[in-house]
Every structure is written in structure tokens, then in C-alpha cells.
């Protein structure tokens, strides 16, 4: 049970915070504080200070859906910080994006620290890829001084192109700001946006980093940030970093799960992000080119860092293994051509090697049931063996290089080791990725086990330096169809405690969707707390002119006809579409005078569109945002910036997603109904998110218009309609 002194500490902190900020207590916020406190306060510790799983197995997890305006960040901070301190655990707050991380670190946590009376320290955790690698920057600048601009550091045909003059100036500017203390090496703190290509040259990953052996480690911004985490009570991370840590076994980047209480904000994103982290993929053509180029560069590498020992012995074995793996991949290409038929999302068959696929259109072949044809499986088995041997040799070489970096009497100059270490790490990482992919393709799924989704995507390869314009490559992919089991074993069973929260965790009024996709236990605490908003201030309407969106052409025509009348009033409006094609068709069909009022996603960056939109509304004008799914979530347009949300059609998922298709296939094979079990709950959740763009403060008013008659004519429509907040309804 929650002990009295802990309960009092939380109540006191909450009262002081409200008084310090001049705020009133919100009913939903108080319920959320209580739910979190009850769950975390009831965790029983064993003799070693870890959670006693025999007495607390599942009950250590609290799931709270908190509607917009609840103040959930303050609620979980005021409840979790005192209990984490009392139980001597770290508190890791994980959000969906770096932007949300920074809001918590720069706004929410300082306010809680200032007004609640709680004493704690906090820091921001980011992945290695957000920080500059001093070793790489040093190598770049050394190359510029000897060869001038226009050099090319990429050893493989699918790596970065030549360095231009603007990039050279950028890198010199970075060095200057580091030297004068005007920059800390954090990408997010650089004054201007940095292009992905430019940043990729001067950052690293855990495979390429020599860690404490690097001569630049004392000035490394990543390690400085890492050291501060060990001393910090509250750490703000994001889901990608958390999942990367779990993939490395937990405790590699963040504190070990057993010593941590997690708060997962925007938790509805976690399952999809987990699928991305635990999936495997490899491009056949690019990997073939890499292996060939690695073989060509091997002699130079051994000539510079050969040690007469382990490095040389393993290096001498590499050419045969690199060649065998390359030959295997070359044999895989015709097998994919033979057994895979590629169609884009409109059902048009695509060519493969000829490169006639249209830019911007995906073309995939999914293996039904995750079952791979026997010839591909047999060759995958050979590739697994080849890459297993390659990974083993490269691992030994990396370890040998590490020992040489630590040896003050090393026969190999440290500068040469430092130059080649990242390349060895890169080779090792690519070998490991191929090993995991081909191992997955070399075996059938166990009887009764959750199947894997397996598919091949035809991708554009024309952006590479050696690939001909329009050339294509095959990307071979696999993924779990659900992340639930992975999260259960890597996170829920291991963590000391966890809180999951979001404005949208239920679908059709139940937590079943979250349980299936995130694997949260049945005996966790599940609660929905109300939003303080008066939803009767908004009207949800389905006009008489709305048609069934199942007929695409008629529906598009009806949307075109309806919009001028719906959006005639001044102020801000948001129109949400489920497909880019329909959005662009509607935009082009509207009169020119109307198009002048519309800001369409893709015309400019999201930030630029929002700035123009706000400026127009502030000036008394009318502005209409046209957007897709990413505009249906996370967009904050309070007051007159958004008085009307128009939703073109029910947001059913695109049917060609290979993971969702495999999941539907599996549910159907078990006798279930994938449409009712997956498609409808997913659409209901997305519709709630879309409707949530209207009321952003307690004073907001407005209208939501749904231009899809299926919400009232189909049997599932009533269930979706009833899952929405209690808006005033007007259905013509």
C-alpha cells in the first residue's frame, strides 16, 4: 500500500505547485496523481532492493488515458518523483520525440522544481547520433588541409557523396565554435538546421566509436552528457533511445530497467517504434557493393594497421569470406526476380532490374504467412553462415584494435588505428545486420508461434554515385507482427515500475488494442481520467452531402463541392485527408481564389506552414491547412487558429502495409475478424486524435465536420461514433 508519509509528500508537493502557479486543481489531474501514486507506492522490494516479482507481477504498471487539458505532465512528475526518491530508483521519462523531450526539460521540470518544494536534479538523454564525433571532425579537417575541398570519404557506393565547399565551411565553423566554447557538440544546439548528409559525416554509432580508448574522449560531448546521467535522479529520454538501450540489453545507455521507474508519455507510439527497432532489413545490391569495396580496401587497411598478430590473422581470412557472401547475394538477386511480383499501392505491376518503377510509389512483394519459398530459404541459410563467419572475424579484429589502442607500446600508430576503427565498426555493423536478416529468412516460424512479416521492397538506387539514374535495388525485410512479447520480456517484466500515458490509449472505449500491441499485462492498473474541457462547445456534424467514401471518385467530388461552403467563415481551419492523391486532387479542383487561402502539406516545411497560417489569422484573414495523418496528431492550434476541423473520410489504414497485412492474415487464420479486431479500432483511435485538433484550451469552440457517410450507414460506424468525446452531434 501507499505509505502515509509518501502520500503526504505527494499531496504537499501538489498543493504547493498549484499555489505557486496560481492554478486550480483539476479533477482528472487529481485522479491521475492518485492512480500513479497507488501503483508505484504499492511496489514491494526484495532484499536486494529490486521489485519482488512474486508479490508484484504486473501490478507495478499503471496505464492512464488522460484527455487533452488534464495536465498529465505535471501529474506524473508530482506523483513519480517523490516515490522514485523514496525507493532509491532512477526516474526515466520517455517521450515520442526530441521536441517533446525539450519541452519537459526546459519548461515542465523547471516549473515543478521551482514551485513544488521537491528537491531533485534532471538531465536530457539523447542518442550518440545527436552528438558530434570529434575524431571524425578531426579527420575531415585534416583531409581538407592536405587535399582541399571536394574529397570523398565514403568507401562504398551507397555512402555519402563528395564534400562540397559549403560543407567544408560548416565543419570549420563547428571546430571554431567548439574551440571557443560557443557550442557543445549537440546537433540540436547548433544555430541552424544541419543537412542529414553533412551531419552523418561527423557523428557515429556505438559500433564505430572506440569509446574510452579514443584520444578525444576527454572532450567528447556524448561522453560528457553520458557521465551526467549517472548522477541524475530524473532523466528525460525518448522512445527511440529507450528501445535502443533495450536492444543492447538494457543499462547500456540508460540506467538498468531493474533500477528504473519509467514514465512513457505519448505511449501510443511505443508499439510501432518497437517494431522498427526489432525489425531487420538489408539491400541486396548495396550490400554486394559494400562487400566488393571492402575487399578492395582490405589490403590498404592491413598495410596501415597490420600488427603481425590477431588483426593480420583474421584479415588474411577475410577475402574468402567477403567473396563467398558477395557471391551468395549475387545469387539471391535472380531468385527474388523469379519468386517476387512487385506491385505499387494502386495494383500496377512494377519492373525490377529495368528500373521502370515510378518515383515516390512503393512496390513490394509480401510473403504470405511469412513463408519464404524454399530456394530463397536455402540460399538464406548459406548467407547466414557466411555472415556469421564474417561477423565473427570482424568482431575479433575490433577487439584486437581496441587492445592496441589501450597499449602504450602498440606496434601500430594510434592515429592509423583511430582512422580505421570506424571502418571496422561499420563493416561489423553491416555484417551483423545481414546475419540477423538472413538468419530470420533461413528458418520457418515455430509451430504456433507468432509469425514474422517478411517482404521485399523495390527501392530507388539512383541516388548512389555508381548506380545509374533510375536503377533499383531489392530491400529484403522482416519484422515481428506485434511488439507485445518483445516489450513484455525486455521492459515490463524487468522494470521496477512503469507509467504509460497519452490522450489516446483506448480504442472503442477499451484498452484491448494497447494490450495486444504493447503487451501490457492484464493485471496492470488501467484508468481513463476525464478532460476538463466542455465538449458541448464543439459540434460534430455529418452533412447531408456527405457520401460513402468507399466510392473514391464520388467521394472526392463531394468533398470538392462541400468545402467552399464549409470554410466560408474567416479564421483558421484544418482539412485532414487520408491520402495524398485525394488531397492534391481536391486542391487542384478548387477555384484559384480558394487555392490562395490554402496551405497544403508538402508545399513548405510544417513549421513554415504553421507560421504563415498563424500570421494570416492574426491579421484577420482566413487560412485553411490541408494535411495528412501527421497533421492529425500533435498539431496545436488554439482559439481562432482552428475553429473548424474537416475530416474527409474515416482514417482506415492503408491496406498495403506489410506488417499490418501479415497481422490481419494471422488473426484470420485463427478464426478472428481482422477488420473488426484491427482496422476498426485503429480507425477509431485515429479519429479521436483528429477530432482532438479542435479543442486545445478550455475556452475553445468550433465545429468538426466528417464527410464520410459510413459513420452512420455502416454497423461499425456507431461503435466509432460512440468512442468520440461527447460533442454536440448534428447528423443530417
Amino acid at each position: 500500500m501507499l505509505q502515509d508519509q509518501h502520500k503526504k509528500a505527494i499531496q504537499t508537493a501538489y498543493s504547493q505547485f498549484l499555489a505557486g502557479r496560481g492554478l486550480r486543481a483539476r479533477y482528472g489531474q487529481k485522479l491521475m496523481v492518485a492512480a500513479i501514486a497507488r501503483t508505484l507506492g504499492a511496489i514491494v522490494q526484495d532484499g536486494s532492493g529490486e521489485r519482488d516479482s512474486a508479490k508484484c507481477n504486473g501490478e507495478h504498471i499503471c496505464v492512464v488515458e488522460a484527455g487533452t487539458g488534464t495536465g498529465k505532465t505535471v501529474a506524473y512528475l508530482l506523483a513519480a518523483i517523490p516515490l522514485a526518491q523514496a525507493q532509491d530508483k532512477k526516474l526515466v521519462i520517455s517521450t515520442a520525440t526530441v521536441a517533446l523531450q525539450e519541452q519537459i526539460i526546459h519548461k515542465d521540470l523547471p516549473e515543478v522544481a521551482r514551485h513544488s518544494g521537491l528537491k531533485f536534479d534532471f538531465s536530457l538523454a539523447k542518442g550518440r547520433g545527436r552528438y558530434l564525433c570529434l575524431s571524425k571532425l578531426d579527420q575531415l579537417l585534416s583531409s581538407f588541409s592536405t587535399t582541399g575541398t571536394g574529397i570523398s570519404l565514403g568507401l562504398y557506393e551507397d555512402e555519402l557523396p563528395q564534400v562540397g565547399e559549403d560543407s567544408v565551411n560548416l565543419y570549420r565553423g563547428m571546430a571554431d565554435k567548439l574551440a571557443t566554447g560557443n557550442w557543445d557538440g549537440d546537433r540540436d544546439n547548433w544555430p541552424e538546421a544541419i543537412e542529414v548528409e553533412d551531419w552523418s559525416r561527423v557523428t557515429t554509432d556505438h559500433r564505430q566509436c572506440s569509446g574510452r580508448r579514443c584520444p578525444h574522449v576527454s572532450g567528447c560531448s556524448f561522453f560528457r552528457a553520458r557521465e551526467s546521467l549517472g548522477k541524475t535522479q530524473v532523466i528525460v529520454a525518448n522512445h527511440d533511445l529507450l528501445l535502443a538501450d533495450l536492444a543492447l540489453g538494457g543499462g547500456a545507455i540508460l540506467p538498468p530497467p531493474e533500477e528504473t521507474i519509467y514514465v512513457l508519455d505519448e505511449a501510443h507510439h511505443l508499439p510501432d517504434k518497437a517494431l522498427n527497432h526489432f525489425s531487420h532489413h538489408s539491400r541486396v545490391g548495396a550490400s554486394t557493393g559494400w562487400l566488393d569495396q571492402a575487399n578492395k580496401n582490405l589490403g590498404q587497411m592491413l598495410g596501415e594497421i597490420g600488427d603481425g598478430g590477431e588483426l593480420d590473422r583474421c584479415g588474411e581470412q577475410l577475402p574468402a569470406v567477403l567473396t563467398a557472401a558477395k557471391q551468395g547475394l549475387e545469387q539471391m538477386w535472380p531468385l527474388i526476380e523469379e519468386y517476387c511480383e512487385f506491385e505499387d499501392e494502386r495494383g500496377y505491376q512494377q519492373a525490377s532490374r529495368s528500373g521502370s518503377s515510378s518515383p515516390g510509389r512503393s512496390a513490394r512483394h509480401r510473403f504470405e504467412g511469412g513463408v519464404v519459398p524454399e530456394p530463397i530459404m536455402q540460399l538464406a541459410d548459406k548467407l547466414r553462415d557466411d555472415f556469421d563467419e564474417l561477423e565473427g572475424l570482424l568482431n575479433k579484429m575490433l577487439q584486437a584494435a581496441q587492445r592496441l589502442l589501450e597499449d602504450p607500446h602498440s606496434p601500430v600508430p594510434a592515429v592509423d588505428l583511430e582512422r580505421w576503427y570506424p571502418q571496422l565498426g561499420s563493416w561489423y555493423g553491416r555484417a551483423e545486420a545481414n546475419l540477423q536478416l538472413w538468419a530470420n529468412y533461413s528458418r520457418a516460424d515455430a509451430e504456433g508461434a507468432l509469425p514474422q512479416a517478411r517482404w521485399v521492397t523495390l527501392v530507388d538506387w539512383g541516388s548512389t554515385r555508381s548506380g545509374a539514374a533510375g536503377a533499383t535495388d531489392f530491400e529484403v525485410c522482416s519484422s515481428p507482427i506485434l511488439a507485445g512479447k518483445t516489450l513484455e520480456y525486455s521492459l515490463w517484466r524487468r522494470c521496477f515500475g512503469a507509467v504509460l500515458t497519452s490522450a489516446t490509449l483506448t480504442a472503442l472505449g477499451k484498452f484491448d488494442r494497447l494490450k495486444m500491441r504493447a503487451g501490457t499485462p492484464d493485471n496492470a492498473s488501467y484508468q481513463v481520467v476525464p478532460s476538463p474541457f466542455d465538449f458541448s462547445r464543439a459540434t460534430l456534424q455529418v452533412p447531408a452531402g456527405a457520401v460513402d467514401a468507399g466510392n473514391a471518385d464520388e467521394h472526392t467530388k463531394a468533398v470538392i463541392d462541400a468545402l467552399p461552403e464549409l470554410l466560408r467563415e474567416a479564421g483558421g481551419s484544418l482539412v485532414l485527408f487520408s491520402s495524398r492523391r485525394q488531397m492534391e486532387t481536391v486542391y487542384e479542383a478548387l477555384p484559384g481564389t480558394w487555392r490562395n487561402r490554402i496551405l497544403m502539406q508538402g508545399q513548405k516545411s510544417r513549421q513554415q506552414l504553421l507560421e504563415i497560417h498563424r500570421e494570416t489569422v492574426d491579421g484577420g484573414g482566413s487560412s485553411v491547412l490541408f494535411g495528412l495523418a501527421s497533421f492529425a496528431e500533435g498539431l496545436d492550434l488554439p482559439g481562432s487558429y482552428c475553429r473548424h476541423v474537416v475530416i474527409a473520410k474515416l482514417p482506415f489504414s492503408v491496406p498495403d502495409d506489410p506488417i499490418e497485412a501479415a497481422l490481419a492474415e494471422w488473426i484470420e487464420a485463427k478464426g478472428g475478424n481482422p477488420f473488426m479486431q484491427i482496422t476498426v479500432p485503429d480507425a477509431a483511435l485515429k479519429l479521436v486524435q483528429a477530432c482532438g485538433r479542435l479543442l486545445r484550451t478550455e475556452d475553445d469552440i468550433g465545429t468538426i465536420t466528417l464527410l464520410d457517410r459510413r459513420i452512420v450507414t455502416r454497423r461499425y460506424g456507431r461503435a466509432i461514433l460512440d468512442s468520440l468525446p461527447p460533442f454536440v452531434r448534428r447528423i443530417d
Side-chain angles (χ1 to χ4, degrees), residues 445-519:
D445 296 319
E447 188 71 29
L450 202 65
Q452 291 273 313
R454 296 183 177 92
W455 71 97
V456 181
T457 303
L458 193 64
V459 294
D460 178 23
W461 202 17
S463 60
T464 62
R465 284 180 284 140
S466 61
T472 54
D473 197 355
F474 292 128
E475 185 166 31
V476 184
C477 311
S478 72
S479 171
I481 59 174
L482 291 171
K485 283 296 178 187
T486 301
L487 290 172
E488 177 188 347
Y489 285 98
S490 64
L491 184 55
W492 312 134
R493 290 194 180 191
R494 293 183 59 191
C495 69
F496 185 82
V499 176
L500 292 82
T501 187
S502 168
T504 48
L505 290 178
T506 60
L508 301 175
K510 300 177 181 178
F511 285 98
D512 294 355
R513 179 185 183 277
L514 179 74
K515 291 180 183 179
M516 178 180 73
R517 292 184 181 270

Side-chain angles (χ1 to χ4, degrees), residues 134-434:
L134 284 168
S135 181
K136 284 195 171 182
L137 181 64
D138 186 48
Q139 289 177 37
L140 271 169
L141 295 176
S142 297
S143 299
F144 300 152
S145 64
T146 56
T147 64
T149 62
I151 66 163
S152 173
L153 298 181
L155 296 182
Y156 316 122
E157 55 192 330
D158 59 332
E159 289 195 351
L160 301 172
Q162 291 189 334
V163 181
E165 188 174 349
D166 289 344
S167 299
V168 173
N169 292 333
L170 171 67
Y171 300 138
R172 287 177 174 151
M174 287 178 173
D176 290 342
K177 284 186 178 292
L178 284 167
T180 57
N182 292 319
W183 184 48
D184 59 0
D186 183 334
R187 179 180 182 177
D188 300 305
N189 294 336
W190 186 255
E192 294 93 28
I194 305 174
E195 294 294 330
V196 173
E197 270 186 2
D198 288 330
W199 183 252
S200 298
R201 297 189 188 94
V202 290
T203 191
T204 190
D205 58 35
H206 74 284
R207 295 294 185 207
Q208 299 179 56
C209 177
S210 56
R212 302 292 177 184
R213 305 165 189 88
C214 177
H216 298 282
V217 69
S218 61
C220 177
S221 53
F222 170 71
F223 277 102
R224 280 205 303 266
R226 174 72 60 83
E227 284 166 1
S228 70
L229 293 184
K231 307 166 188 172
T232 305
Q233 296 169 305
V234 180
I235 298 168
V236 182
N238 60 49
H239 298 340
D240 287 315
L241 183 62
L242 169 61
L243 291 162
D245 184 58
L246 296 177
L248 293 171
I253 305 169
L254 300 170
E258 293 79 7
E259 300 171 13
T260 304
I261 293 172
Y262 296 94
V263 174
L264 304 166
D265 201 346
E266 300 298 311
H268 62 282
H269 285 293
L270 188 66
D272 286 341
K273 286 184 175 289
L275 286 178
N276 290 336
H277 273 269
F278 297 106
S279 63
H280 308 297
H281 54 89
S282 177
R283 293 190 178 186
V284 176
S287 295
T288 303
W290 154 59
L291 291 165
D292 186 49
Q293 197 66 39
N295 223 341
K296 292 175 182 175
N297 284 279
L298 182 61
Q300 182 187 351
M301 184 188 75
L302 292 176
E304 295 188 21
I305 64 171
D307 62 343
E310 186 83 349
L311 270 170
D312 283 330
R313 282 195 296 273
C314 293
E316 288 168 2
Q317 299 173 56
L318 274 182
V321 182
L322 289 166
T323 300
K326 177 192 170 190
Q327 290 172 345
L329 289 175
E330 288 173 340
Q331 294 167 30
M332 184 60 72
W333 191 287
L335 285 180
I336 292 173
E337 287 186 316
E338 180 178 353
Y339 287 98
C340 299
E341 292 184 2
F342 294 93
E343 293 184 345
D344 69 11
E345 73 272 16
R346 289 184 284 183
Y348 297 147
Q349 200 167 70
Q350 300 283 297
S352 53
R353 193 187 290 270
S354 66
S356 62
S357 61
S358 300
R361 290 194 289 159
S362 61
R364 296 190 188 97
H365 175 91
R366 185 177 65 84
F367 298 106
E368 291 189 11
V371 178
V372 178
E374 188 65 27
I376 293 180
M377 187 180 290
Q378 288 176 357
L379 184 53
D381 194 45
K382 175 195 177 299
L383 285 166
R384 180 199 62 185
D385 291 342
D386 291 337
F387 281 106
D388 186 36
E389 187 175 359
L390 180 59
E391 188 227 32
L393 288 171
L394 291 170
N395 188 33
K396 290 178 181 177
M397 294 177 75
L398 273 175
Q399 291 176 3
Q402 289 169 0
R403 289 192 295 270
L404 289 170
L405 282 166
E406 294 170 350
D407 183 1
H409 306 294
S410 168
V412 182
V415 65
D416 293 332
L417 284 168
E418 273 299 317
R419 186 167 64 254
W420 282 100
Y421 190 94
Q423 289 300 335
L424 268 177
S426 175
W427 292 357
Y428 177 79
R430 294 182 76 150
E432 183 182 45
N434 273 277

